[in-house]
Amino acid sequence: MDFGNDWMDAKHSTGTTIMAVEFKDGVIIGADSRTSTGTYVANRVTDKLTRITDHIYCCRSGSAADTQAIAGIVAYSLNYHENQTGEEPLVSEAAAEFKKYCYNYRGELVAGIIVAGWDRKLGGQVYSIPLGGMCVRDKVTIGGSGSSYVYGFVKEYFKENMAQEECVNFVKKTVFHAMHHDGSSGGVCRIGIITKDGVERRIFFAPHEGVSVEPQATPMAVSS
């Protein structure tokens, strides 16, 4: 029997769970924190919610290197735009920048992006940019390998114009459901609440298996 080293040349599979939802006063973004290379967990506490501006964030799935590079380029571009015009960029402008790079380099990049934020013209907005570079605005969107396990849950429990804490609870439960079923998703649930006042970050720790308790929340600094 041949016990060769073919596994060393095999393509690494990646996985994640990301999500964004429009609510009454802005948007809620959420993600797990596991970075995996095949069956190996490379990082248990990755932050997949990346700041672009004070009021715009992106959720990253796919190749960590590709998505970090694109996010850095777009953040630099929008910062230059703000310095030249004196106005904060719109969420749609950020989404258009991501779409440009994801589409133009669709053959080289493995990047699924969700762009979410708040601006003075349209309030809270969510844009999905999956593999290939298409850009669609949605009231709720999910991505990554864990998303395939929770489409039914999202369709059943999503409501328009939810209150903030109701929406946070919805995102948290969706991400934990995906983490439970998807081996490539795990760690903690990171959440960002984006409104006209800036961004509030929270971390939720999953309860132990079989123990019915609310996940513990740890607040993070608010940026504005």
Side-chain angles (χ1 to χ4, degrees), residues 24-145:
K24 185 174 62 174
D25 300 317
V27 295
I28 308 286
I29 55 177
D32 75 310
S33 65
R34 175 175 293 177
T35 295
S36 57
T37 55
T39 58
Y40 175 72
V41 178
N43 190 340
R44 296 181 298 161
V45 288
T46 306
D47 189 357
K48 302 175 185 178
L49 311 180
T50 302
R51 178 190 177 278
I52 304 301
T53 72
D54 286 344
H55 290 88
I56 303 172
Y57 270 62
C58 76
C59 309
R60 302 179 293 106
S61 68
S63 164
D66 290 350
T67 56
Q68 286 173 356
I70 299 169
I73 293 169
V74 173
Y76 177 86
S77 175
L78 294 183
N79 181 60
Y80 180 80
H81 172 275
E82 185 173 353
N83 288 336
Q84 293 298 307
T85 63
E87 296 184 348
E88 285 194 22
L90 303 177
V91 183
S92 59
E93 293 172 339
E97 280 288 297
F98 274 102
K99 174 189 175 182
K100 178 177 72 175
Y101 290 107
C102 290
Y103 180 77
N104 289 342
Y105 299 98
R106 61 193 180 279
E108 292 80 31
L109 298 175
V110 180
I113 305 287
I114 296 174
V115 180
W118 182 95
D119 63 44
R120 63 194 180 279
K121 287 192 174 182
L122 296 176
Q125 299 148 73
V126 171
Y127 295 88
S128 175
I129 307 167
L131 295 174
M134 179 179 69
C135 182
V136 179
R137 181 181 175 185
D138 286 311
K139 294 184 182 298
V140 56
T141 189
I142 51 179
S145 59

Side-chain angles (χ1 to χ4, degrees), residues 16-30:
T16 192
T17 299
I18 55 175
M19 180 178 187
V21 184
E22 294 180 9
F23 76 104
K24 185 174 62 174
D25 300 317
V27 295
I28 308 286
I29 55 177

Side-chain angles (χ1 to χ4, degrees), residues 4-16:
N5 292 325
D6 293 344
W7 61 273
M8 296 181 67
D9 301 318
K11 184 177 180 180
H12 284 230
S13 62
T14 58
T16 192

